[in-house]
């Protein structure tokens, strides 16, 4: 007890660190004036923040965090400087693995739901830094291609939340070596910031060559001025994110040229023109397919347009955020470019605030495009590349959590890419197999993101088109994480029928906790017959298939249903 008291007293001296609730405030509005000097790798920011106390108790302290290579210069409330201390704060939310945290002590506490405005200033450099990856053992070369963000002489690319804290945030420390904590923290932050606005005026200056450097951002951009004095230039660009939704605000500066189509814009770096034209052609072909699913009219030109921004590092990991893709344009793989373009154009044509719908549909469209080009098996093989990742993630979760905690990783709540991308892709494929393509197309056309207030909205839209009950499917796959099915052929009994041939009674057992409708194939001499069978979790289902010749083998699941174990799916029928 005595020891505890001493500890309390010690903590008390250090400005009550334990009392600080870093996630108490929502940053509802940013008004930032950002100066970028690529030659010096420098960033200097002045601006105003509006914060709302969304916690249940009054708050006297505020945490403001920026990347560890930036320093706090001033923080004011109502034109008067306020007391603040700065400290390095270790967290993998930033590429440097640390933040410069300012802990502000307010003259008066902000009550719950109360707001406060702060005038702020910070500056420093943003060099290439992959510390958060190298310190967990990622080889430096590899890490640099992943955390490629920097302000640099020839190229600047700086992504926001989850990469570089170039605008202030406040998030509890996360560690890349601790499971999914980084992605959960980013998910929490994005959910809080969904309705917030970020208004930035970028000033960038330096020396230009034949092509003047251009600043690109992923908000609503507008060039305010561009001055040139000899080789020197000064450019002012406004960029507005209103509302932020799930956007990762980013900016890039480089010697960009543009190629433009009604549905796609490509910004490419010098010497990459041929690759850019190649991507544009891939986009034209992909658009024909996307149009079969979604209306792409010229009504909302700026919201419908997909954007591609070139990266100079040919090995750089592509980054996708909404309709924007940052990727090195190399023109090497045309088939891949077409698949990428289908994904992007789907995003441009179809929006949902729910990641499992927004990303799931875009990945499903890639598989469907593959199917159109190379047939169903090629599409199943393409999806199969994702199967192990999901099965492994499900197995790890099952080991990690109790039944209750597992409910949090439903497609509705998850922040895991294996789920809201890969698992969701399968869910959309299974839904199409169950209700048919025409019904699914009508359902997607009837979807309105602004009406998607309840998780069951999508289920009801599909049921209305398909005229069947899908509650059980959504329960097992979307609303809860019940893991995956595991099918096995329990028995297959052939019985000769009058006039020749056989009828085979096939019983399929589902050993998993999620039900599905699964294809069952009966192979016989000179052919095969496939029927679909619904098998609920931990139950069996029986289907009868007629065979004109001697039945040989039963196979459950052609790969279209996501399953944990596929080694028990074949059954040989004894003569
Ligand atoms: Zn996507």
């Amino acid at each position: 007890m005595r020891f505890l008291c001493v500890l309390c007293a010690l903590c008390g001296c250090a400005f009550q660190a334990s009392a600080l609730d870093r996630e108490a405030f929502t940053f509802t509005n940013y008004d930032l004036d950002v100066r970028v000097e690529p030659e010096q790798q420098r960033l200097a920011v002045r601006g105003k923040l509006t914060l709302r106390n969304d916690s249940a108790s009054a708050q006297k302290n505020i945490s403001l965090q920026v990347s560890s290579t930036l320093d706090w210069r001033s923080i004011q409330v109502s034109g008067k400087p306020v007391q603040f201390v700065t400290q390095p704060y270790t967290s993998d939310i930033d590429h440097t693995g640390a933040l410069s945290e300012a802990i502000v002590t307010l003259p008066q506490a902000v009550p719950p739901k109360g707001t406060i405005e702060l005038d702020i200033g910070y500056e420093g450099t943003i060099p290439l830094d992959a510390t958060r990856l190298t310190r967990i053992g990622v080889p430096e070369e590899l890490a640099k291609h992943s955390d490629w963000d920097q302000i640099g002489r020839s190229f600047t690319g700086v992504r926001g939340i989850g990469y570089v804290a170039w605008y202030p945030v406040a998030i509890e420390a996360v560690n890349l070596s601790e499971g999914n904590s980084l992605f959960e923290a980013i998910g929490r932050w994005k959910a809080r910031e969904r309705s917030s606005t970020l208004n930035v005026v970028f000033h960038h200056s330096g020396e230009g060559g034949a092509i003047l450097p251009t600043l690109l951002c992923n908000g609503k951009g507008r060039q305010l001025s561009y001055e040139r004095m000899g080789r020197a230039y000064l450019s002012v660009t406004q960029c507005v994110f209103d509302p932020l939704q799930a956007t990762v605000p980013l900016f890039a500066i480089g010697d960009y040229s543009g190629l433009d189509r009604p549905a796609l814009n490509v910004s490419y770096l010098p010497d990459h023109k041929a690759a850019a034209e190649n991507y544009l052609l891939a986009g034209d072909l992909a658009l024909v397919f996307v149009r079969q699913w979604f209306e792409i009219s010229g009504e909302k030109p700026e919201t419908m347009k997909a954007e591609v921004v070139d990266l100079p590092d040919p090995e750089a990991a592509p980054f996708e955020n909404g309709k924007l893709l940052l990727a090195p344009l190399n023109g090497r793989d045309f088939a891949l470019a077409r698949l990428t373009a289908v994904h992007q154009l789907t995003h441009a044509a179809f929006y949902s605030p729910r990641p499992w719908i927004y990303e799931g549909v875009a990945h499903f469209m890639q598989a469907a495009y593959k199917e159109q080009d190379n047939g169903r098996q090629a599409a199943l093989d393409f999806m199969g590349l994702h199967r192990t990742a999901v099965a492994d993630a499900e197995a790890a979760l099952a080991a990690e959590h109790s039944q209750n905690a597992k409910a949090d990783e439903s497609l509705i709540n998850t922040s895991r890419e294996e789920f809201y991308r890969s698992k969701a892709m399968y869910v959309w494929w299974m839904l199409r197999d169950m209700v048919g393509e025409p019904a699914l197309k009508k359902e997607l056309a009837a979807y309105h993101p602004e009406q998607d207030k309840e998780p069951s909205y999508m289920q009801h839209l599909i049921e209305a088109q398909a005229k069947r009950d899908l509650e059980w499917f959504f329960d097992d796959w979307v609303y809860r994480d019940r893991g995956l099915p595991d099918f096995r052929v329990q028995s297959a009994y052939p019985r000769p029928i009058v006039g020749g041939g056989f009828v085979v009674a096939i019983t399929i057992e589902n050993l998993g906790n999620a039900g599905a409708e699964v294809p069952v194939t009966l192979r016989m001499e000179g052919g095969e017959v496939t029927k679909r069978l619904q098998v609920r979790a931990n139950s069996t289902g029986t289907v009868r298939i007629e065979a004109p010749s001697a039945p040989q083998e039963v196979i459950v699941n052609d790969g279209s249903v996501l399953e944990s174990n596929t080694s028990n799916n074949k059954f040989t029928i004894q003569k």
Side-chain angles (χ1 to χ4, degrees), residues 320-323 343-344 347 358-360 362-363 366 420-421:
E320 174 205 38
N321 190 230
K323 304 168 287 150
H343 187 105
Q344 259 202 293
H347 280 331
Y358 187 64
E359 289 300 343
H363 285 282
Q366 292 183 293
Y420 72 77
R421 291 180 184 276

Side-chain angles (χ1 to χ4, degrees), residues 1-70:
M1 207 58 207
R2 188 184 151 79
F3 173 71
L4 266 178
C5 289
V6 172
L7 203 67
C8 291
L10 276 174
C11 291
C13 291
F15 61 84
Q16 302 160 336
S18 59
L20 179 64
D21 179 357
R22 289 191 167 80
E23 302 190 7
F25 287 91
T26 301
F27 292 53
T28 56
N29 186 54
Y30 293 84
D31 255 312
L32 303 179
D33 198 76
V34 175
R35 275 161 211 279
V36 187
E37 291 168 41
E39 304 271 334
Q40 275 75 45
Q41 302 194 289
R42 265 180 60 79
L43 180 87
V45 180
R46 297 290 178 272
K48 196 183 277 293
L49 306 176
T50 311
L51 277 66
R52 184 181 62 226
N53 180 3
D54 280 339
S55 76
S57 45
Q59 301 290 332
K60 184 100 165 106
N61 298 107
I62 293 179
S63 153
L64 299 176
Q65 303 163 341
V66 290
S67 185
S68 67
T69 51
L70 303 169

Side-chain angles (χ1 to χ4, degrees), residues 11 25 57 67 73 90 99 104 116 184 204 207 212 244 256 338 372 431 448 452 480 490 502 506 508 514 537 573:
C11 291
F25 287 91
S57 45
S67 185
R73 288 285 179 258
T90 304
L99 296 154
V104 182
I116 185 160
E184 280 165 14
H204 75 99
E207 304 235 313
L212 282 179
L244 263 169
Y256 284 111
R338 288 174 62 204
Q372 180 196 268
L431 280 168
H448 293 290
D452 189 351
R480 285 174 199 287
Q490 197 181 63
F502 301 83
I506 302 164
I508 303 294
I573 296 173

Side-chain angles (χ1 to χ4, degrees), residues 158-459:
V158 182
R159 293 169 287 182
I161 183 67
Y163 298 91
V164 181
W166 63 268
Y167 50 92
V169 297
I171 298 169
E172 288 296 336
V174 290
N175 190 327
L176 269 175
S177 59
E178 279 168 13
N180 198 45
S181 70
L182 173 64
F183 300 98
E184 280 165 14
I186 295 170
R188 276 202 312 277
W189 175 262
K190 283 183 177 174
R192 272 157 64 202
E193 296 294 304
R194 187 163 286 285
S195 315
S196 300
T197 53
L198 171 61
N199 187 348
V200 192
V201 176
F202 288 102
H203 306 250
H204 75 99
S205 55
E207 304 235 313
I211 302 173
L212 282 179
T214 307
L215 183 139
L216 303 169
C217 74
N218 58 340
K220 245 187 208 128
R222 191 159 65 100
Q223 182 85 50
L224 298 180
S225 70
Y226 209 125
E227 283 171 48
R228 208 176 169 180
M229 295 141 284
R231 286 172 57 82
Y233 74 90
L234 170 65
S235 165
V236 185
T237 312
Q238 187 184 38
C239 196
V240 180
F241 304 81
D242 183 16
L244 263 169
Q245 292 178 331
T247 313
V248 175
L250 61 85
F251 61 94
I253 304 171
D255 296 341
Y256 284 111
S257 306
L259 283 173
D260 205 30
R261 284 280 207 282
L264 180 66
N265 180 287
V266 180
S267 298
Y268 62 93
L269 293 164
D271 303 329
H272 289 182
K273 189 171 185 194
E277 282 168 344
N278 217 30
Y279 193 86
L280 219 56
L281 179 61
D284 287 343
L285 294 172
L287 186 61
V288 176
F289 178 71
V290 175
R291 278 217 165 102
Q292 295 169 15
W293 280 80
F294 302 99
E295 191 124 339
I296 298 186
S297 60
E299 283 165 31
K300 307 178 278 179
E302 81 291 333
T303 55
M304 300 299 277
K305 191 166 271 195
E307 303 257 355
V308 181
V309 173
D310 196 4
L311 293 175
D313 170 7
E315 304 296 324
F319 173 74
E320 174 205 38
N321 190 230
K323 304 168 287 150
L324 176 82
L325 175 74
L326 281 91
L329 289 169
N330 54 36
R332 279 194 291 245
D333 190 337
F334 193 62
L336 181 65
R338 288 174 62 204
L339 275 181
T340 308
V342 159
H343 187 105
Q344 259 202 293
L345 290 166
T346 302
H347 280 331
F350 178 80
Y351 175 73
S352 168
R354 299 187 188 277
W356 82 270
I357 299 176
Y358 187 64
E359 289 300 343
V361 168
H363 285 282
F364 159 77
M365 285 290 288
Q366 292 183 293
Y369 193 35
K370 196 93 191 155
E371 181 187 39
Q372 180 196 268
D373 266 15
N374 310 100
R376 183 170 167 98
Q377 192 52 52
L380 297 181
D381 292 345
F382 169 79
M383 294 205 298
L385 301 173
H386 295 249
R387 194 193 71 85
T388 318
V390 187
D392 289 353
E394 292 276 18
L397 268 178
E400 200 176 298
H401 290 303
S402 68
Q403 198 65 28
N404 247 353
K406 261 181 90 176
D408 287 331
E409 289 298 337
S410 71
L411 286 188
I412 299 291
N413 295 320
T414 189
S415 57
R416 285 173 194 257
E417 292 201 301
E418 301 96 321
F419 285 60
Y420 72 77
R421 291 180 184 276
S422 306
K423 185 175 176 177
M425 169 184 68
Y426 273 100
V427 165
W428 286 102
W429 186 279
M430 289 188 280
L431 280 168
R432 187 188 63 163
D433 276 351
M434 283 193 284
V435 307
E437 193 165 303
L440 192 66
K441 278 181 179 166
K442 276 192 202 149
E443 182 274 325
L444 290 173
Y447 178 85
H448 293 290
E450 66 282 1
Q451 290 169 18
D452 189 351
K453 307 278 187 224
E454 297 295 326
S456 60
Y457 171 68
M458 183 58 86
Q459 179 204 326

